[in-house]
Amino acid sequence: MDRANYSKAYQLLRKEVLREHFSTIMTGIVLAIVALLLVRRYLKSKARKKVVPV
């Protein structure tokens, strides 16, 4: 097996796949970050409203 050419071919294939799906990958990452921020904000606001009556 020709390791040098196999490695180069795999690298080119990986680059091609990433280029084809870059927008989908980045959209997923951005949506995940936004979702985490919204959940965090929701949990903080819910914790503030939870006041024990005296």
Side-chain angles (χ1 to χ4, degrees), residues 4-43:
N5 288 332
Y6 178 80
S7 177
K8 183 69 173 174
Y10 183 72
Q11 181 183 15
L12 291 173
L13 176 65
R14 193 174 62 208
K15 275 186 178 181
E16 183 180 334
V17 169
L18 284 175
R19 281 188 182 134
E20 288 177 4
H21 299 289
F22 181 76
S23 61
T24 305
I25 293 168
M26 288 308 292
T27 301
I29 291 171
V30 169
L31 288 176
I33 291 171
V34 169
L36 286 173
L37 292 174
L38 289 175
V39 167
R40 192 171 161 192
R41 182 186 294 179
Y42 172 75
L43 291 175

